[in-house]
Amino acid sequence: MSELPLGLVDTGIETGADSGATDTASTEAAVLLGVSLHVSAVVKLNLADFQNAVPALQELAIVNATPMSIQGLTLSLHSEPAFVKPRSWHLDAVGAGATYDLHDLDVQLDGALLSRLSEAEPAVLHFALHSRPTPQSDNIVLATHDCTVELLARNQWGGLGDLPEMVAAFVQPNDPAIDRLLKGAALVLETAGKSGAMDGYSQGPKRAWELASAIWTAVLQKKLHYALPPASFERTGQKVRNPSQVTDAGLATCLDLTLLFAACLEQAHLNPLLVFTKGHAFAGVWLSQQEFTSAVVDDVTALRKRLQLQEMLVFETTLAAQGQPVRFSQAIWAKPKMRSLSWWSTSNARAWCASNRWPRRKPWPRQRRQNPGWRPPHPSPPLSPLPSKTRRRNCATRPATTFPA
């Protein structure tokens, strides 16, 4: 198929110098060309995405559905408001009936703008494909495409429906309030005649349980109060209070509390988990130095196995904001329905578990230091066993989970 200058492609329009409506005719010709843009971009964007280098563009392609090759192309991008630095791509040609995929999709985000946002606001990415002007033809717009992006407030999480692993970016172990809580936990341990060191898994699962219990008591001493989260927050997201805001104001949703406990556990050198079910979030912690191989786990069977083998525990964080003292052993598996492992497989209890690792963050060491003979104090009746198809071979030789009630 022969290649023709863009102004001479089969448009049926005069291109001589005497034409007084060249620009208008060329634009109409572009509409008839059958050239389009295929764009896939993020739906939501916030400061955490910028800090973790989440790509704003996921796919960008030029589709030439005409029987002619088009040459000398420039694809430009700008945004309103200007949260993306303008950029252009230059292409020599796109063949007849061909689709040209662009692989260099790196665009520069305005982090300063994202950090200033206190409320969500809509934004638009504007794409325009046009020809470079030649002596025979003017600049012709071939195709345009607009993408709507929701710019979230700097403290707003986008929900599990959009990059679920990004919830880990809201775990803030370096917040000043975390050090104060860990100091309180250390005093709790010393009062009980134990070491106040935040030494993680250095002394095995029993020590991990003691640290988590001491952190629970330190949070209880803040006398927090519970605040209801927005409806369907686990899917659509919500604004998040950082640890200092929680301890200063004394109010927290289930997600705020879950992130608070996760930050404390991580700063104490333990590996926390964030567990989501329909309309609710709560925290967990590994009892030995290990974690899932991926940042997000939507396979509930994997979670159930770990709970039954007592390699981790989960606890109801909202009990720390009820205005009355609740023992850590009571917070573990606090709801009776959660004691049934079959509850995790129901349609309204699908769990997502985000590990303590941010995207692009190095994982914790995987050294395992366990004391197989240790069990948490105050045991309750064992949990229901897993179905035979999902049980590990060594399950029969290991005692069932005996988390406290």
Side-chain angles (χ1 to χ4, degrees):
M1 183 69 68
S2 62
E3 296 181 354
L4 298 176
L6 188 58
L8 298 179
V9 177
D10 187 17
T11 62
I13 297 174
E14 296 289 341
T15 60
D18 293 337
S19 174
T22 302
D23 292 341
T24 302
S26 298
T27 302
E28 294 173 353
V31 175
L32 299 175
L33 282 175
V35 178
S36 61
L37 297 174
H38 178 75
V39 182
S40 178
V42 294
V43 177
K44 301 177 181 179
L45 197 65
N46 61 13
L47 182 62
D49 296 327
F50 167 75
Q51 291 175 329
N52 289 278
V54 173
L57 294 181
Q58 300 163 348
E59 188 175 356
L60 182 56
I62 301 171
V63 180
N64 178 16
T66 71
M68 297 292 182
S69 173
I70 51 177
Q71 306 176 46
L73 304 175
T74 298
L75 177 60
S76 61
L77 164 66
H78 73 279
S79 63
E80 296 180 22
F83 71 97
V84 170
K85 182 179 180 180
R87 178 170 180 187
S88 297
W89 293 264
H90 301 286
L91 298 86
D92 291 333
V94 177
T99 298
Y100 188 97
D101 293 301
L102 287 88
H103 300 290
D104 179 13
L105 303 181
D106 188 26
V107 294
Q108 184 175 344
L109 301 178
D110 187 347
L113 184 150
L114 294 173
S115 67
R116 292 193 299 267
L117 291 178
S118 58
E119 296 292 340
E121 63 177 74
V124 180
L125 292 170
H126 298 286
F127 295 87
L129 178 67
H130 50 87
S131 66
R132 294 193 288 271
T134 67
Q136 294 80 22
S137 64
D138 296 325
N139 187 316
I140 301 177
V141 177
L142 296 173
T144 61
H145 187 91
D146 290 344
C147 286
T148 301
V149 179
E150 184 181 7
L151 301 182
L152 303 180
R154 58 170 295 149
N155 62 336
Q156 187 172 358
W157 171 53
L160 293 176
D162 179 66
L163 295 176
E165 65 272 19
M166 289 306 300
V167 68
F170 290 88
V171 178
Q172 303 175 54
N174 295 320
D175 188 282
I178 299 302
D179 286 340
R180 293 191 289 269
L181 287 171
L182 292 186
K183 176 63 176 177
L187 294 176
V188 169
L189 289 169
E190 290 176 348
T191 302
K194 303 180 184 298
S195 170
M198 298 293 112
D199 49 3
Y201 300 107
S202 61
Q203 300 180 45
K206 180 178 180 180
R207 180 59 177 174
W209 196 94
E210 291 174 351
L211 290 174
S213 179
I215 290 171
W216 173 268
T217 302
V219 173
L220 278 182
Q221 293 172 349
K222 294 297 180 179
K223 298 182 179 179
L224 305 177
H225 290 83
Y226 177 66
L228 285 174
S232 303
F233 79 93
E234 78 282 2
R235 281 291 165 192
T236 59
Q238 72 170 71
K239 284 189 175 181
V240 173
R241 298 176 178 90
N242 63 38
S244 291
Q245 291 173 321
V246 170
T247 56
D248 291 345
L251 289 174
T253 65
C254 59
L255 178 59
D256 297 330
L257 289 164
T258 297
L259 296 173
L260 175 69
F261 276 106
C264 290
L265 292 167
E266 181 173 353
Q267 194 70 339
H269 305 288
L270 300 174
N271 293 349
L273 298 103
L274 313 176
V275 186
F276 292 87
T277 61
K278 184 178 180 180
H280 191 46
F282 50 95
V285 61
W286 289 90
L287 295 177
S288 59
Q289 189 149 315
Q290 56 181 311
E291 60 185 6
F292 289 119
T293 56
S294 60
V296 177
V297 177
D298 59 357
D299 179 9
V300 184
T301 301
L303 181 66
R304 293 166 59 200
K305 285 181 179 180
R306 302 289 188 164
L307 288 169
Q308 188 190 32
L309 296 176
Q310 203 165 336
E311 296 175 348
M312 66 169 65
L313 59 83
V314 295
F315 54 95
E316 180 54 65
T317 57
T318 59
L319 290 180
Q322 300 296 328
Q324 56 185 0
V326 178
R327 296 176 59 182
F328 184 57
S329 58
Q330 293 175 303
I332 300 173
W333 295 95
K335 296 181 179 180
K337 64 181 180 181
M338 293 172 62
R339 298 182 186 179
S340 172
L341 290 176
S342 61
W343 177 80
W344 294 90
S345 296
T346 61
S347 59
N348 65 341
R350 191 162 182 79
W352 295 71
C353 304
S355 76
N356 60 302
R357 289 183 287 122
W358 275 256
R360 303 180 183 273
R361 183 179 175 183
K362 292 182 180 180
W364 290 87
R366 294 183 176 274
Q367 297 177 358
R368 300 181 63 179
R369 298 181 181 180
Q370 287 184 282
N371 179 5
W374 174 81
R375 291 293 178 268
H378 311 294
S380 62
L383 297 170
S384 303
L386 289 171
S388 58
K389 291 184 179 179
T390 60
R391 298 188 65 182
R392 295 184 178 180
R393 293 182 178 179
N394 62 346
C395 284
T397 62
R398 299 187 61 172
T401 306
T402 54
F403 287 135

